[in-house]
Amino acid sequence: MGANTKALKNRIRSVDSTLHTTSAMGLVASSKMRRSNERMQGGRQYAAAFADVVDVLTASPECSGSPYMRQTDGKRTRLIVIAGDRGLAGGYNSNVFRLTESMEREAVYPIGKRACDRYHGEFVSSEYFTGAQATALARKLCQEFVNGEYDRLGIVYTRYVSMLTQEAEVKWVLPLTRAETAGTLSVVFEPDEETILNATVPDYIAGMLMALIRESFASEVAARRMAMDSAGKNARAMIDDLQLQYNRARQGAITQEITEIVAGSGA
């Protein structure tokens, strides 16, 4: 009995230590939630405004000859894959990888340590990804698309639905497609629509990439917060169960000692 109570006591200490760790990680995630959501909303608004301009341009017949609107069979696909720098975020990273693996692709450009580890890329942080990095990657990929080196570019990211729900999706960004129902802007494009579109696309892709990285990070923070809350509840339930087992084992040991003493005095 003594050995059993000692093992249970050590187990309780171990789970309690884990509980403190998950609680701390949950607090860190909570502290990042407001800022990450603000940045996500800002990114969404910026990308939507840029997309409105691109829709107006692509709807113009003058832009039909743009190399960015070149339609192909789409067999040579490249993917930018956005995952987290860390784990312990529920299914956040695994959902992104599962979606990526379900698609045929020629090359992967990983962002986030977990994605870089999986696809053997040089480490690029998703949390601290900068506008300059987005611009450099967008210009590189746009130039290669114009050169005909691949047919289609997509960004695999995680869409933030709510604190409880985040969904892995792919956003196809190249080639551009003609917007059939584009809104009208009171703008005169100089020198002409196609020239403006060709000059705009790299910045549009960079802005879209930054917006989706921010959305993915907000999703990661929410997923980690929920995962740590769940882990904390499970740890507390486990401690209660182990404490009950410990009390029963301790009571059994005491009862056995009393029985032995009584039996000894009777002899």
Side-chain angles (χ1 to χ4, degrees), residues 193-244:
E193 285 86 345
E194 182 178 348
T195 300
I196 298 300
L197 177 65
N198 293 341
T200 298
V201 170
D203 291 330
Y204 166 66
I205 300 298
M208 182 65 67
L209 177 57
M210 285 301 301
L212 297 184
I213 287 175
R214 289 177 176 181
E215 181 139 1
S216 292
F217 183 67
S219 297
E220 179 187 359
V221 170
R224 181 169 293 110
R225 166 65 187 276
M226 296 308 299
M228 292 303 100
D229 283 353
S230 178
K233 291 177 182 177
N234 292 338
R236 282 187 285 271
M238 187 178 294
I239 289 173
D240 289 343
D241 183 61
L242 289 169
Q243 189 67 54
L244 182 60

Side-chain angles (χ1 to χ4, degrees), residues 77-168:
T77 298
R78 296 187 180 182
L79 297 174
I80 300 173
V81 178
I82 305 168
D85 291 340
R86 291 172 291 277
L88 298 177
Y92 172 76
N93 290 313
S94 59
N95 291 339
V96 168
F97 299 147
R98 188 179 301 112
L99 177 59
T100 302
E101 295 303 319
S102 71
M103 295 184 290
E104 293 185 5
R105 73 273 181 192
E106 179 189 68
V108 169
Y109 296 85
I111 296 175
K113 186 177 186 303
R114 294 300 169 120
C116 294
D117 289 345
R118 186 177 183 92
Y119 296 108
H120 311 293
E122 182 179 351
F123 171 61
V124 179
S125 172
S126 57
E127 183 175 356
Y128 301 107
F129 197 79
T130 66
Q133 288 175 297
T135 298
L137 180 57
R139 293 190 183 283
K140 173 182 180 296
L141 290 171
C142 284
Q143 186 60 57
E144 291 173 350
F145 182 82
V146 169
N147 294 342
E149 296 181 28
Y150 66 96
D151 300 323
R152 189 168 61 157
L153 176 64
I155 303 174
V156 180
Y157 74 107
T158 303
R159 181 169 65 91
Y160 182 96
V161 181
S162 68
M163 269 294 297
L164 299 176
T165 307
Q166 304 84 37
E167 299 176 351

Side-chain angles (χ1 to χ4, degrees), residues 3-13 242 245-246 249:
N4 188 33
T5 55
K6 184 176 181 180
L8 287 169
K9 195 170 185 178
N10 289 338
R11 180 63 174 154
I12 291 170
R13 288 173 178 169
L242 289 169
Q245 292 181 48
Y246 174 81

Side-chain angles (χ1 to χ4, degrees), residues 48-93:
F50 222 140
D52 287 343
V53 176
V54 171
D55 284 348
V56 171
L57 288 166
T58 57
S60 171
E62 287 79 4
C63 291
S64 59
S66 170
Y68 292 113
M69 298 189 70
R70 181 187 79 246
Q71 302 301 313
T72 67
D73 57 15
K75 290 183 178 180
R76 297 177 300 168
T77 298
R78 296 187 180 182
L79 297 174
I80 300 173
V81 178
I82 305 168
D85 291 340
R86 291 172 291 277
L88 298 177
Y92 172 76
N93 290 313

Side-chain angles (χ1 to χ4, degrees), residues 17-62:
S17 176
T18 301
L19 175 60
H20 281 81
T21 301
T22 58
S23 297
M25 293 182 68
L27 289 173
V28 171
S30 296
S31 69
K32 292 182 177 182
M33 283 178 56
R34 180 177 177 181
R35 177 61 174 164
S36 65
N37 275 273
E38 288 176 350
R39 289 167 61 85
M40 176 186 69
Q41 294 298 335
R44 282 179 173 179
Q45 293 171 9
Y46 179 84
F50 222 140
D52 287 343
V53 176
V54 171
D55 284 348
V56 171
L57 288 166
T58 57
S60 171
E62 287 79 4

Side-chain angles (χ1 to χ4, degrees), residues 185-198:
L185 296 178
S186 301
V187 177
V188 176
F189 294 101
E190 292 290 347
D192 58 77
E193 285 86 345
E194 182 178 348
T195 300
I196 298 300
L197 177 65
N198 293 341

